[in-house]
Amino acid sequence: MEAKEFIEDLRRRFPNEPEYLQAVEEVVTSIEDVYNEYPAFERYNLLERLCIPDRIYSFRVSWVDDGGRVRNNMGYRIQHNNAIGPYKGGIRFHASVNQSILKFLAFEQTFKNSLTTLAMGGAKGGSDFSPRGKSDMEIMRFCQAFIAELWRQIGPDTDVPAGDIGVGGREVGYMYGYYKKMAREFTGTFTGKGLEFGGSLIRPEATGYGNCYFLLNMLETRGIDIAGKRVAISGSGNVATYTAQKLMSLGAKVVSMSDSGGSIIAPDGLTHEQMEFIFDLKNLYRGRISEVHDRYPEIAYLPGERPWRHVVCDIAMPSATQNELDGDDARALLAAGCIAVSEGANMPSTPEAVKEFIAAKILYAPGKAANAGGVATSGLEMAQNSQKLSWTAEEVDDRLQAIMKEIHRQCVLYGRQDDGYVNYVRGANVAGFMKVARAMMAQGIL
Ligand code: NDP
């Protein structure tokens, strides 16, 4: 297999899917040599079967807003690969959602889920519906209309959705409720559920906490202590806020956060009081990050800006969305002395930015490894649901830490170069790929 030719062919077949092509290109170029060591893979055309989703559902979602107007959105579910377990991946509600973005996310999810050591295949879904500014009743009606289309295609051993951008506990609750009504069953078909109906302790925290645990593992390889380090974070949603909370408990300083409107910059680090304010603002009141500056004028607010060129930091943890950190941002971070980047979001760094980080030989963890704690804990939620048991927070957190350590170990195993530098991109891609590839080979051509 020639990676270049392979990508060219996909480019010709899917010309309007830049995010999907970007994600595939990164993986295929980094596994090319390993893939070619096994001629049987090519005989079975394994790579093409792994890159093209098993199936895609797309549908219209019609719902009625509070003013009585009928609104229409697109809904999707991409079932990418179930070689190692039921399809599993989040649902994203955001105005920017399209088939390309969901295909890239489902593709990445397949490798990420393989790395977690748990039995989960890859999927992703969502809609171009934006929850921002919608009432609770509108959100509920939309979620019900979405699931009215999708419920037949999902199930506890078939496809288990969860949250993502714009989908948190409230949305999962509404979708699960409607699923339960249609399917007439009470099973673990969604993860990220409320604690009263099968949710797991630590699931809301898991992606952010897991990213911090992965970062600690990386820092340990160079004997670096997290205490006192300045960390720039982007985003202020689920992943960003729990990342910030854990970092502060470890003695690090959080010097930035953001949303799609702009960034706040706190060169000396946010205080615990300020962090609590942000947590409530975003999680309880669904406010904007600019309101932090209104309340604490000493914290700068930069409208329309991402944090990267405006902070001095030791570590960056992009936790908002894809392609939010470009080549110029990467160069600015490196010039300011950044020694580590650990991605909470999926594919937040552009290919040019990734090249810069790797060329500078800093610690750089791609999202599919660093943010895998979220889906791993979803896997633990599925295990608890199957057993009809609930584990304690300590038990779940201990398992999360152990899983992040194991993901780190796999990345080091497959990613260490001759000069000792660990290329975590290659490590994560090769480790994730080998397990899925072996399972696909064993199961025949499907
Ligand atoms: P949330 O919806 O809770 O938060 C998303 C944050 O990112 C918000 O601050 C949002 O700002 C900002 N954001 C979203 N889109 C854009 C954009 N186009 N430009 C700038 N800012 C943007 O989502 P999560 O925290 O759950 O997800 C964040 C990232 O982490 C995503 O890439 C997701 O795929 C990834 N992830 C999430 C997991 C989870 O368990 N939740 C698991 C693994 C990965 P605003 O409010 O203004 O839109």
Side-chain angles (χ1 to χ4, degrees):
M1 180 274 295
E2 268 274 351
K4 234 176 147 182
E5 273 174 30
F6 180 82
I7 300 294
E8 277 317 309
D9 183 51
L10 285 190
R11 223 181 278 289
R12 192 180 47 73
R13 294 161 76 184
F14 306 105
N16 302 318
E17 301 188 347
E19 295 86 2
Y20 167 66
L21 294 167
Q22 180 184 336
V24 171
E25 183 165 13
E26 184 222 86
V27 170
V28 170
T29 47
S30 70
I31 62 165
E32 184 176 12
D33 52 344
V34 177
Y35 183 85
N36 286 329
E37 279 170 24
Y38 299 85
F41 286 172
E42 189 61 3
R43 270 203 308 282
Y44 281 74
N45 206 351
L46 186 113
L47 194 61
E48 196 170 291
R49 287 194 289 129
L50 180 52
C51 290
I52 297 178
D54 288 355
R55 68 191 64 82
I56 299 177
Y57 297 105
S58 66
F59 44 92
R60 172 174 46 75
V61 185
S62 295
W63 55 284
V64 182
D65 71 17
D66 288 346
R69 282 187 303 270
V70 178
R71 311 275 287 259
N72 299 304
N73 288 96
M74 283 305 297
Y76 306 89
R77 184 72 179 167
I78 317 274
Q79 295 182 337
H80 190 88
N81 186 293
N82 68 350
I84 63 168
Y87 298 110
K88 176 92 194 89
I91 292 195
R92 176 176 292 193
F93 290 164
H94 194 271
S96 64
V97 162
N98 58 37
Q99 188 163 297
S100 169
I101 289 178
L102 296 179
K103 272 177 75 176
F104 116 65
L105 288 163
F107 174 78
E108 291 276 294
Q109 194 81 48
T110 301
F111 293 83
K112 182 190 305 190
N113 292 3
S114 165
L115 280 173
T116 64
T117 72
L118 306 175
M120 297 181 289
K124 202 83 187 189
S127 171
D128 57 0
F129 167 81
S130 171
R132 195 184 305 161
K134 304 288 191 304
S135 71
D136 260 3
M137 284 297 115
E138 288 177 322
I139 300 278
M140 185 184 77
R141 288 195 292 274
F142 177 80
C143 289
Q144 293 182 341
F146 183 85
I147 291 301
E149 274 297 323
L150 193 61
W151 74 272
R152 284 178 208 278
Q153 322 303 345
I154 58 179
D157 298 314
T158 312
D159 182 351
V160 183
D164 190 73
I165 291 178
V167 177
R170 174 182 59 169
E171 291 76 14
V172 167
Y174 290 149
M175 285 192 277
Y176 179 69
Y178 204 71
Y179 171 81
K180 181 172 65 71
K181 180 180 169 75
M182 299 305 284
R184 301 189 190 182
E185 60 174 39
F186 193 107
T187 51
T189 294
F190 274 78
T191 59
K193 301 184 293 297
L195 290 178
E196 306 78 10
F197 52 98
S200 174
L201 287 162
I202 306 293
R203 176 60 190 92
E205 295 88 343
T207 310
Y209 281 19
N211 192 10
C212 294
Y213 298 147
F214 196 90
L215 173 72
L216 290 177
N217 278 283
M218 284 205 296
L219 292 176
E220 200 184 320
T221 64
R222 295 191 181 179
I224 299 169
D225 189 356
I226 183 90
K229 294 288 175 296
R230 294 158 300 184
V231 186
I233 296 177
S234 63
S236 48
N238 169 274
V239 178
T241 49
Y242 284 111
T243 300
Q245 193 192 67
K246 176 57 84 178
L247 285 170
M248 288 174 70
S249 77
L250 293 166
K253 294 177 184 168
V254 174
V255 295
S256 72
M257 296 192 80
S258 68
D259 62 20
S260 50
S263 302
I264 54 164
I265 308 289
D268 297 327
L270 295 165
T271 64
H272 286 279
E273 182 196 310
Q274 289 163 346
M275 195 57 232
E276 252 173 58
F277 176 79
I278 294 171
F279 198 86
D280 289 349
L281 176 74
K282 299 303 283 194
N283 292 307
L284 298 182
Y285 308 115
R286 302 177 196 276
R288 310 303 298 152
I289 205 73
S290 58
E291 293 170 51
V292 181
H293 169 73
D294 300 341
R295 170 72 183 267
Y296 301 100
E298 67 274 23
I299 298 178
Y301 174 65
L302 306 175
E305 295 289 323
R306 301 181 300 214
W308 318 120
R309 297 183 210 174
H310 306 282
V311 279
V312 177
C313 66
D314 306 294
I315 296 163
M317 300 178 84
S319 307
T321 191
Q322 66 276 352
N323 292 329
E324 51 151 324
L325 195 164
D326 64 19
D328 287 338
D329 295 328
R331 284 183 282 278
L333 283 169
L334 292 169
C338 181
I339 54 164
V341 176
S342 203
E343 296 182 341
N346 285 308
M347 207 169 74
S349 307
T350 64
E352 192 189 348
V354 175
K355 259 193 205 131
E356 291 286 344
F357 295 142
I358 291 176
K361 301 216 162 138
I362 64 164
L363 297 167
Y364 166 67
K368 69 168 74 71
N371 71 32
V375 72
T377 308
S378 279
L380 301 179
E381 182 173 330
M382 289 163 72
Q384 292 170 77
N385 291 164
S386 298
Q387 293 177 306
K388 300 204 161 30
L389 288 175
S390 298
W391 301 339
T392 64
E394 290 69 32
E395 194 168 354
V396 179
D397 195 40
D398 285 351
R399 285 179 193 258
L400 171 62
Q401 293 190 41
I403 288 170
M404 297 316 292
K405 199 179 188 64
E406 173 56 19
I407 296 173
H408 182 267
R409 191 192 67 79
Q410 294 180 63
C411 289
V412 171
L413 180 69
Y414 289 103
R416 192 181 287 287
Q417 298 177 173
D418 292 343
D419 62 359
Y421 177 67
V422 179
N423 182 331
Y424 287 88
V425 175
R426 180 181 155 81
N429 287 339
V430 173
F433 165 75
M434 285 310 288
K435 183 173 170 187
V436 179
R438 289 198 175 106
M440 287 175 72
M441 290 297 286
Q443 292 168 22
I445 296 163
L446 303 171

